[in-house]
Amino acid sequence: SAVISQKPSRDICQRGTSLTIQCQVDSQVTMMFWYRQQPGQSLTLIATANQGSEATYESGFVIDKFPISRPNLTFSTLTVSNMSPEDSSIYLCSGRGQGARAQYFGPGTRLTVL
Amino acid sequence: DQQVKQNSPSLSVQEGRISILNCDYTNSMFDYFLWYKKYPAEGPTFLISISSIKDKNEDGRFTVFLNKSAKHLSLHIVPSQPGDSAVYFCAASAAYFGNEKLTFGTGTRLTIIP
């Protein structure tokens, strides 16, 4: 299994500000993903983080709101921009190895927007 | 459109007995299925998976059964232990979709009663 870390683990932010979440994976990972889990809900894929190019976003998520970078194979960031209380969620990074089907998740970032 | 459904939001089982968690899916393109366990304030932990070419996969106390004709899978935990108390998510992916993104169910909260 892959080792995945995220920071910060939690944050409380003011409306209108932005937060950048960092994800570090070990070298076994080739694909990286960002998910959101809103309170009482399931996990929803935000985007696939592509190394050295623009992320691939799912329906309902846009780059202006959730810019993602992946400058190298083992590191990615997700920014939640111009936050509102509706953005209060757990944000999770995941990774998958070459040829593997299972994804492994980081510990998540719990975001509260006031 | 919820393509992966877990119709039981919660389940309580006596310690030592069998826990059976169920999951239904609607998209016939799904060819790989996974179960994750999630404790509060942690990311999901991968438990066990099954390919659509199989109907059963076993790993220790955990067994997953797949019924493709019914588009149904189940996770059996025997014997159930207090540490199994958590939220369980089933997830599905399809090689057809290219990035094999995971689609998650809504989760079942399992409580093991000592």
Side-chain angles (χ1 to χ4, degrees):
Chain A
S1 64
V3 177
I4 300 178
S5 61
Q6 273 182 249
K7 57 180 180 182
S9 58
R10 58 176 61 228
D11 209 340
I12 300 173
C13 300
Q14 295 297 319
R15 181 195 298 261
T17 62
S18 298
L19 176 72
T20 295
I21 302 166
Q22 298 180 9
C23 178
Q24 182 76 48
V25 302
D26 67 25
S27 58
Q28 298 176 57
V29 170
T30 53
M31 296 201 68
M32 294 179 71
F33 305 87
W34 287 98
Y35 289 81
R36 178 175 75 179
Q37 185 184 19
Q38 293 179 299
Q41 304 289 317
S42 184
L43 284 77
T44 301
L45 180 64
I46 298 172
T48 303
N50 298 310
Q51 182 189 355
S53 65
E54 190 173 295
T56 304
Y57 289 85
E58 296 299 304
S59 175
F61 298 96
V62 295
I63 188 171
D64 289 347
K65 176 67 176 176
F66 297 102
I68 289 170
S69 77
R70 188 179 174 191
N72 57 56
L73 198 60
T74 61
F75 184 78
S76 178
T77 66
L78 166 73
T79 299
V80 186
S81 303
N82 188 24
M83 288 184 284
S84 67
E86 292 71 35
D87 294 320
S88 297
S89 294
I90 300 173
Y91 291 86
L92 295 141
C93 168
S94 76
R96 195 181 79 218
Q98 180 72 36
R101 299 294 297 267
Q103 290 182 25
Y104 295 89
F105 285 82
T109 296
R110 182 178 293 272
L111 171 62
T112 302
V113 184
L114 302 176
Chain B
D1 174 33
Q2 188 71 32
Q3 297 186 62
V4 179
K5 300 178 185 178
Q6 294 174 256
N7 291 318
S8 298
S10 63
L11 175 68
S12 294
V13 174
Q14 289 284 131
E15 182 179 357
R17 300 287 186 107
I18 183 172
S19 295
I20 300 176
L21 297 100
N22 294 304
C23 180
D24 297 294
Y25 62 96
T26 56
N27 193 331
S28 57
M29 299 305 297
F30 288 141
D31 63 349
Y32 197 77
F33 304 89
L34 309 91
W35 285 95
Y36 287 85
K37 177 169 79 172
K38 188 178 186 302
Y39 293 121
E42 294 185 13
T45 301
F46 170 68
L47 274 177
I48 191 169
S49 61
I50 188 168
S51 164
S52 61
I53 63 173
K54 294 186 174 182
D55 55 17
K56 177 183 174 181
N57 189 27
E58 207 169 338
D59 184 2
R61 296 187 297 116
F62 302 94
T63 303
V64 56
F65 295 92
L66 176 62
N67 182 334
K68 286 192 295 293
S69 61
K71 293 191 175 66
H72 177 84
L73 63 153
S74 61
L75 174 68
H76 293 210
I77 307 173
V78 180
S80 300
Q81 299 174 353
D84 296 329
S85 294
V87 177
Y88 288 77
F89 291 96
C90 68
S93 71
Y96 175 82
F97 293 146
N99 68 353
E100 297 177 25
K101 64 181 184 182
L102 294 181
T103 301
F104 281 85
T106 49
T108 297
R109 181 178 300 278
L110 175 65
T111 302
I112 304 303
I113 304 164

